[in-house]
Amino acid sequence: MTDYNDIQMTYHQPATYHPFHISGQDRPGRWVVTCDHATNTVPVEVGGGDLGLPAEDMDRHIAYDVGAAGVTWALAERLNSPAILSNFSRLVIDPNRGEDDPTLLMRLYDGTIIPANRYADEAEKERRLNAYYRPYHEGLTNLIATRTAPVIVSIHSFTPRLNGRPERPWHVGLLYADDTRLALPLLDRLRHESDLCVGANEPYGGHLPGDSIDRHAIQHGHPNVLIEIRNDLIRTDAQQVAWADRLAPILSETLIATNL
């Protein structure tokens, strides 16, 4: 069995650093599987590779989507389609935000101050946009262009509870905005799974203008959905593979049923 957690750790090798990774580009499937928050990597050019946070903060949801990369790798294999994964922490700069979004470069997240971002100015933001954010989005644009009738599925994860907030009951949530052609049929299909608590635009609401789905799918008319999985359910390699095994046939069947 492929160890997706071991693959994920290759992102942390400075000698081979690149702001994104593409897997399975030659696979023929229509799907493009994306993972905007794949790793907690801090490139050495950002504060010497240190945001000023302790390891326990860099290992939790504020720095990346725990478990999402492993699901992405495995799901793309099962869909016989390519995947693209970011290779920089969302705290370096968030690729799932528009360039004018005030949360693009976070200074405070879930009660934690980000020291390296506290005094980051416009010049530093622009440097990070050019070094990490824009190459990732260019890579995603180019990957989508290789597909005939592409379908975008974005994999994310969420923490079971934010500091000082109630527990989140959902096992999985689907996020969508105006384009519901794929999301609503998929929501209905997942709600037939008796052991799942499925959220509609939970734990977050819809999409933001300029985010990855808006930029690469909605603005171009591509069918799309964003899947959020609670991160305590995908912490291990076996859990990640199990979710990919479960989601792949559901996604394929739903796409066929929608006749998109």
Side-chain angles (χ1 to χ4, degrees):
M1 178 185 293
T2 302
D3 189 329
Y4 297 99
N5 288 318
D6 283 351
I7 293 174
Q8 184 176 335
M9 290 303 294
T10 66
Y11 288 115
H12 297 269
Q13 302 301 318
T16 59
Y17 179 76
H18 192 68
F20 63 90
H21 181 80
I22 292 175
S23 173
Q25 186 162 356
D26 294 333
R27 295 173 187 150
R30 291 177 60 191
W31 298 91
V32 176
V33 188
T34 73
C35 191
D36 297 324
H37 301 142
T39 76
N40 57 4
T41 303
V42 181
V44 294
E45 295 84 2
V46 179
D50 183 2
L51 291 170
L53 291 173
E56 55 265 31
D57 277 329
M58 291 303 297
D59 285 341
R60 67 190 190 97
H61 72 99
I62 66 170
Y64 73 120
D65 281 359
V66 176
V71 176
T72 301
W73 284 100
L75 181 62
E77 283 186 351
R78 284 145 184 79
L79 293 172
N80 201 19
S81 294
I84 181 168
L85 302 92
S86 70
N87 185 23
F88 50 93
S89 171
R90 67 196 304 166
L91 298 179
V92 171
I93 196 159
D94 194 333
N96 195 34
R97 297 291 185 270
E99 291 196 15
D100 59 352
D101 192 296
T103 64
L104 179 69
L105 201 159
M106 294 290 283
R107 291 169 169 80
L108 176 70
Y109 193 1
D110 196 20
T112 297
I113 294 172
I114 318 304
N117 293 350
R118 190 171 184 181
Y119 301 110
D121 58 14
E122 286 299 312
E124 175 61 12
K125 183 174 80 171
E126 186 68 14
R127 190 189 72 78
R128 296 187 197 182
L129 282 167
N130 286 329
Y132 318 117
Y133 178 104
R134 288 171 181 151
Y136 170 72
H137 284 289
E138 181 179 0
L140 179 48
T141 295
N142 293 339
L143 181 60
I144 291 171
T146 68
R147 302 297 101 181
T148 299
V151 183
I152 316 301
V153 55
S154 187
I155 302 298
H156 291 251
S157 72
F158 63 95
T159 183
R161 185 178 66 84
L162 292 169
N163 286 329
R165 302 288 185 88
E167 292 284 339
R168 290 163 158 175
W170 311 283
H171 300 110
V172 61
L174 301 187
L175 273 57
Y176 51 88
D178 294 335
D179 183 358
T180 61
R181 294 172 295 166
L182 178 61
L184 289 185
L186 182 60
L187 180 67
D188 181 67
R189 173 64 181 80
L190 284 170
R191 284 180 167 168
H192 281 83
E193 300 285 301
S194 61
D195 61 330
L196 292 182
C197 178
V198 183
N201 279 329
E202 299 287 1
Y204 314 106
H207 294 298
L208 299 169
D211 70 10
S212 286
I213 288 289
D214 179 53
R215 178 173 181 165
H216 295 284
I218 294 173
Q219 292 183 23
H220 302 280
H222 302 318
N224 64 88
V225 67
L226 188 153
I227 300 175
E228 289 269 4
I229 305 170
R230 206 175 68 205
N231 68 25
D232 60 318
L233 304 177
I234 52 171
R235 287 192 174 273
T236 69
D237 182 66
Q239 289 174 315
Q240 294 156 18
V241 169
W243 271 91
D245 285 340
R246 185 171 196 172
L247 288 173
I250 291 174
L251 284 164
S252 297
E253 292 162 11
T254 303
L255 184 62
I256 293 169
T258 60
N259 200 30
L260 289 169

